Amino acid sequence: MNNESKKKESILRNNAVQTIIASLLCIVIGLLIGYLVLLIINPAGAAGAITAIIKNYFYYPSQKAMMKYMGTTLVKASALLMCSLSVLFAYKVGLFNIGAAGQYVVGAGASLYFALKLGMPWYVCMIAAIVIASLVGGISGALKAYFNVNEVISCIMLNWISLYVVNMILTQVKSESTPYTVDLSSGNKRALLPNCGLDEIFSGNKFVSIGLIISVVMAIVVWVLLEKTKFGFELRATGMNKNAAKYCGMKEKRNTIVTMMIAGGLAGLGAAVFYLSGIETWMVQQTTVPGMGFNGIAAAFLGGLHPIGAIFSSYFIQHITSGGSYVDKTMYCTQISDLISAFIIYLCAFVFFFKIWFNRYLDKKEDVERAYYAAQPNHNASAIASTDAAGPSPSTEMSTADGTAPQAENNTPNAATSSNALSWQEQKEEQARLRKIQKELNRVESEIERLEAENTALDEAIADPANATNSAKLQELSIQRGENDAKLEELLEHWEELSE
């Protein structure tokens, strides 16, 4: 196998590449299933409907109109991206932040109240949205850390509490004749996010603001924080094994609370980016939680739970969601795009199985190539033998006069065979190294689990009243406990090195 094929194979083995391929496969299959549903509902308009959903703002023939509505899609996608980051940040730490919807609601309420009631500028409104939403997220984190209340339950309860509290507060700033809050352009222009010339790029779309830049920058910041900092490692370690993190000296309760506060702040920032653009106002009589937070869950998983992947998945989901408004309303409802999104997200659950299947396919391909290269020396030998049996060719007879050429001719196949064998040997060694690393990872994980179980038993023995008066026994148990903690710390460091 040559270097080019080895490089190609290493790319296909890359986890990020496999995630991208799996996500694209989910999108294609989801669109096909959606098309089948459209065919079942009304075959006559199925092709036009699925085309309209995919095209979205490309539906307009005018370049100016296309850019304008593209800007609107990007504004909505930026808010969705922040909710997606909120979900994946918590998920990386072992928490499922289904409360992103409620935190988004709180962020919207805080930003609009500070803007319309208190007359604050946009940056103060944005900070207020982040702080208050993070406090709401911190409530779920504290309940999880100190009372072991499942964050899913507490978040769902807080979603509805947040909705009705925000409705009640924003009645103070609603328009007199409608159930909607006062428009920012007339209530407080200082609260509108600055455009910084972005509105001109999108054909004068006044809703396009620095919120787009803020959301993308925050995605990069989240990636750096989680993957490149000590603080991010502590958070991920707490999510992988709370007890092990505690034994290593990490403050697992603090990490849980801080994680939910950061997740809440991200969702609140998403609401500020959306509502401070002036694109929508809040209806104080609504009885359902906005779907932006729940769509963030879908975007997070479609993006492979990676902050950079979330940028593209958030845009895609918002793209087809907005595209639903262009379907023929006499044949289909606009929610048909949400149904297609649901199919795609459901298929994302099979990404892990796709990776397993794909790796098996690559392994099988390697076996076939190994068999091919292993057969090469026999093939060359057979070719040489057939040449000898047929007798020397005229060129061979001429070259045997000095006795040099036949030797070079016989050496040529062997050189090619040696090159093939050498490249295959290199790949075989690399595979053996990776298998060894995986085997070591499995051993380390098993050892960590064993030590954790042993520590649990030691803790129970130390707390046993029967050993309370036996100082020698307690000292022996404490020493053993300390040795286990030291081993756990070494194993976790070793596990991190292997994972890299």
Side-chain angles (χ1 to χ4, degrees):
M1 185 181 296
N2 55 29
N3 292 333
E4 183 179 353
S5 60
K6 288 173 66 178
K7 182 178 180 181
K8 180 180 178 181
E9 181 179 338
S10 64
I11 292 175
L12 294 177
R13 290 283 188 183
N14 186 278
N15 183 62
V17 173
Q18 291 185 358
T19 300
I20 293 172
I21 295 173
S23 297
L24 292 175
L25 189 63
C26 291
I27 290 171
V28 172
I29 297 175
L31 291 173
L32 289 175
I33 296 174
Y35 178 65
L36 292 176
V37 172
L38 292 171
L39 284 174
I40 294 171
I41 297 173
N42 192 329
I50 195 69
T51 302
I53 291 172
I54 295 174
K55 289 176 68 175
N56 189 5
Y57 49 79
F58 290 107
Y59 175 84
Y60 296 98
S62 168
Q63 179 73 17
K64 185 176 180 179
M66 187 187 304
M67 291 300 296
K68 181 177 181 179
Y69 286 96
M70 179 183 179
T72 302
T73 300
L74 288 174
V75 171
K76 296 178 179 179
S78 61
L80 179 58
L81 171 58
M82 297 309 303
C83 292
S84 173
L85 294 174
S86 173
V87 173
L88 73 85
F89 188 91
Y91 197 87
K92 288 283 189 180
V93 192
L95 300 168
F96 186 40
N97 184 28
I98 200 173
Q103 295 148 13
Y104 177 85
V105 168
V106 170
S111 59
L112 290 175
Y113 184 83
F114 272 71
L116 298 172
K117 184 67 175 179
L118 304 180
M120 296 293 177
W122 65 270
Y123 50 87
V124 175
C125 299
M126 183 173 287
I127 293 172
I130 295 171
V131 172
I132 298 176
S134 66
L135 292 175
V136 173
I139 294 173
S140 295
L143 290 173
K144 175 70 173 180
Y146 290 103
F147 302 102
N148 200 27
V149 176
N150 190 288
E151 70 275 6
V152 174
I153 297 174
S154 62
C155 283
I156 291 174
M157 300 299 289
L158 284 170
N159 284 349
W160 295 101
I161 294 172
S162 301
L163 174 66
Y164 292 114
V165 169
V166 167
N167 283 347
M168 180 180 64
I169 292 175
L170 291 184
T171 53
Q172 303 176 45
V173 293
K174 83 176 189 70
S175 176
E176 294 181 359
S177 58
T178 68
Y180 294 91
T181 56
V182 177
D183 193 279
L184 287 178
S185 59
S186 59
N188 180 11
K189 288 187 177 181
R190 292 196 307 155
L192 289 170
L193 293 174
N195 300 109
C196 295
L198 293 174
D199 55 332
E200 298 299 328
I201 297 176
F202 295 95
S203 303
N205 189 333
K206 62 181 181 180
F207 305 125
V208 182
S209 63
I210 60 171
L212 271 66
I213 300 173
I214 291 173
S215 60
V216 174
V217 169
M218 287 306 302
I220 298 172
V221 169
V222 168
W223 174 70
V224 172
L225 177 65
L226 284 173
E227 303 295 337
K228 305 296 181 181
T229 65
K230 178 184 176 182
F231 177 65
F233 169 73
E234 284 194 11
L235 295 182
R236 289 186 289 114
T238 302
M240 286 186 286
N241 193 315
K242 183 173 65 175
N243 293 326
K246 179 181 178 181
Y247 296 150
C248 291
M250 300 177 188
K251 298 179 180 179
E252 83 287 355
K253 292 182 179 179
R254 182 207 65 182
N255 289 344
T256 300
I257 297 172
V258 169
T259 296
M260 289 302 294
M261 290 185 70
I262 294 175
L266 290 169
L269 177 58
V273 164
F274 186 71
Y275 284 96
L276 294 181
S277 68
I279 193 170
E280 282 187 16
T281 54
W282 183 270
M283 189 181 78
V284 299
Q285 295 178 359
Q286 61 181 313
T287 56
T288 57
V289 179
M292 191 70 76
F294 297 116
N295 290 341
I297 299 174
F301 282 92
L302 183 61
L305 293 170
H306 194 284
I308 306 303
I311 297 175
F312 300 99
S313 62
S314 298
Y315 170 77
F316 173 77
I317 289 180
Q318 188 58 53
H319 181 89
I320 63 173
T321 300
S322 299
S325 61
Y326 298 101
V327 300
D328 190 345
K329 307 301 188 298
T330 61
M331 296 183 179
Y332 310 100
C333 62
T334 56
Q335 285 78 16
I336 193 67
S337 59
D338 295 328
L339 178 63
I340 295 174
S341 298
F343 285 134
I344 294 171
I345 302 311
Y346 179 79
L347 290 168
C348 285
F350 297 94
V351 169
F352 176 73
F353 298 101
F354 169 80
K355 290 181 179 179
I356 293 176
W357 171 82
F358 192 66
N359 285 322
R360 287 179 179 174
Y361 166 76
L362 292 177
D363 291 338
K364 186 176 180 180
K365 183 179 178 181
E366 288 176 1
D367 292 339
V368 171
E369 291 177 347
R370 175 189 293 182
Y372 170 77
Y373 287 113
Q376 284 297 98
N378 296 332
H379 172 75
N380 291 331
S382 300
I384 296 171
S386 61
T387 303
D388 292 340
S393 63
S395 59
T396 305
E397 290 180 352
M398 291 174 61
S399 55
T400 52
D402 55 6
T404 56
Q407 183 177 359
E409 183 178 351
N410 290 338
N411 287 340
T412 303
N414 294 335
T417 303
S418 175
S419 175
N420 290 333
L422 179 62
S423 60
W424 171 249
Q425 183 65 26
E426 290 175 351
Q427 184 183 6
K428 186 177 179 182
E429 291 173 357
E430 177 65 14
Q431 291 174 355
R433 186 183 70 84
L434 292 175
R435 283 195 296 268
K436 185 178 180 181
I437 291 175
Q438 185 60 50
K439 185 176 180 181
E440 180 66 11
L441 275 172
N442 294 336
R443 186 194 68 79
V444 170
E445 289 175 358
S446 300
E447 184 66 14
I448 289 174
E449 291 176 0
R450 185 190 68 79
L451 286 173
E452 288 174 352
E454 186 176 327
N455 279 348
T456 301
L458 288 171
D459 290 339
E460 292 176 356
I462 292 172
D464 190 351
N467 296 328
T469 57
N470 192 343
S471 59
K473 180 68 173 178
L474 285 175
Q475 184 177 3
E476 181 182 351
L477 292 172
S478 300
I479 292 173
Q480 181 63 34
R481 185 70 163 73
E483 291 176 354
N484 285 358
D485 288 345
K487 290 179 182 178
L488 269 174
E489 186 174 355
E490 292 177 2
L491 286 171
L492 284 171
E493 291 178 358
H494 186 39
W495 184 89
E496 182 67 18
E497 291 174 359
L498 291 172
S499 299
E500 293 176 354

